[in-house]
Amino acid sequence: MGETVPLSPELVAWDVTDSVEPGERGESALPGELDALLDRVGPERVRALAVSGCSVSHAPEILARYADRLPALRAVFLGFTPTERWEISWIGHGDITPVLEAYPLLERLEVRGSDELALRPVAHDRLRVLRFESGGLPGAVVRAVGASSFPALEHLEMWLGTPAYFGDNTIGDLDEPLSGARLPALRRLGLRNSEYQDDIAAAVAAAPVVAGLDELSLGRGALTDHGMEALLSGQPLTHLRVLDLHHHFLSDPMVARVRRALPGVTLDLTRPPGALDQPYIAEWE
């Protein structure tokens, strides 16, 4: 047997658990697991945490209480629960703002699921990546993102979804993020998995934030020729390095037109099965 090579802390996200079973929002395994982890590896090795469980609603407040004991923490993944165990739209959440408030050096926050998810406007100078994977993102969360100050944010991704899975967001909720006024460092933007993807494409066509982007993703939603026509008729997109439109519902002529219009851009034009027959929205990858 070969020699075991210890992993660098920068390459490890430690898996810890909040609520183990459905309905256990009054109890959490997280404090005990954090104590055991810190005793075992020490605080300087804990640079990233992946919090799993059917509910991670306790995690933001608990993590806030542990801020002094987690000085090296730079990345938090909330709702790191495999789909075969618990569907993404059923993962319970609470207000995630305490994580950002308690960790001013945090660089990455990713959230999976949106049941009772909340966020308040916040200022954070070091956050570089903010991602929400959901079957439906609450409009209040989208508006809070737009009202927050993230001067270092390079990657913003929101899976907007459908009202059937808590996605009561509207196109107007995207006004602030699309303005780019509070996102001067943004280089990668994903507005995905939406029923109103055509409206999003039309808004992006004139959005000031686009000029500074390297990558744009409008994939995994119900994008049709109508929305793509608006996008191609708007501001130039030839400066993009990547345009991700996967899981679209574009016709073959429109796909060919996109390729002709953006020859120097890396394109993902993968269709879902049966896309030309009946659109649908996938909840997770």
Side-chain angles (χ1 to χ4, degrees):
M1 178 177 287
E3 181 181 355
T4 300
V5 178
L7 288 174
S8 167
E10 290 80 4
L11 302 178
V12 173
W14 301 96
D15 186 5
V16 290
T17 304
D18 191 347
S19 292
V20 179
E21 298 294 338
E24 284 193 358
R25 296 197 180 191
E27 301 176 5
S28 176
L30 188 55
E33 296 206 2
L34 288 175
D35 290 341
L37 175 63
L38 290 168
D39 288 344
R40 186 168 77 253
V41 305
E44 294 303 324
R45 289 184 60 85
V46 183
R47 296 183 59 86
L49 288 173
V51 186
S52 62
C54 299
S55 169
V56 293
S57 60
H58 314 88
E61 291 290 349
I62 292 172
L63 290 176
R65 297 202 303 267
Y66 275 73
D68 290 343
R69 299 180 62 189
L70 293 167
L73 191 64
R74 297 294 182 269
V76 174
F77 305 85
L78 294 173
F80 190 72
T81 304
T83 56
E84 60 270 16
R85 181 157 176 241
W86 202 240
E87 293 190 14
I88 186 171
S89 295
W90 297 351
I91 300 172
H93 283 275
D95 185 352
I96 63 173
T97 316
V99 176
L100 294 169
E101 293 175 333
Y103 294 90
L105 300 181
L106 196 72
E107 297 178 358
R108 188 181 194 104
L109 177 60
E110 300 198 25
V111 179
R112 194 162 186 272
S114 58
D115 187 1
E116 298 189 29
L117 180 67
L119 173 69
R120 291 175 277 111
V122 64
H124 198 289
D125 292 338
R126 299 289 291 272
L127 196 69
R128 295 174 54 243
V129 177
L130 179 61
R131 295 185 68 250
F132 296 93
E133 293 187 10
S134 72
L137 197 59
V141 172
V142 179
R143 293 190 295 273
V145 170
S148 295
S149 176
F150 296 125
L153 197 69
E154 299 173 0
H155 181 166
L156 172 62
E157 185 172 331
M158 296 187 286
W159 294 25
L160 297 162
T162 169
Y165 295 105
F166 319 110
D168 61 349
N169 56 81
T170 68
I171 190 65
D173 295 335
L174 297 174
D175 286 350
E176 280 299 322
L178 289 177
S179 77
R182 294 185 175 92
L183 301 170
L186 197 68
R187 297 296 176 264
R188 292 187 288 175
L189 175 64
L191 301 173
R192 311 174 70 188
N193 193 35
S194 176
E195 288 186 324
Y196 61 89
Q197 205 74 45
D198 283 349
D199 293 335
I200 293 171
V204 166
V209 74
V210 173
L213 297 180
D214 295 325
E215 300 183 25
L216 173 64
S217 175
L218 303 179
R220 199 168 282 280
L223 182 67
T224 71
D225 284 8
H226 180 74
M228 198 66 227
E229 176 69 40
L231 188 62
L232 290 177
S233 299
Q235 62 186 304
L237 300 175
T238 51
H239 67 286
L240 293 175
R241 185 172 59 85
V242 175
L243 177 60
D244 175 9
L245 302 174
H246 85 281
H247 196 291
H248 63 80
F249 300 95
L250 305 179
S251 66
D252 287 339
M254 181 57 77
V255 168
R257 182 179 167 189
V258 173
R259 295 189 187 280
R260 290 194 303 269
L262 302 170
V265 179
T266 298
L267 301 169
D268 188 341
L269 290 162
T270 308
R271 284 196 185 103
L276 296 180
D277 302 320
Q278 179 62 49
Y280 68 92
I281 295 178
E283 280 190 53
W284 56 77
E285 291 187 310

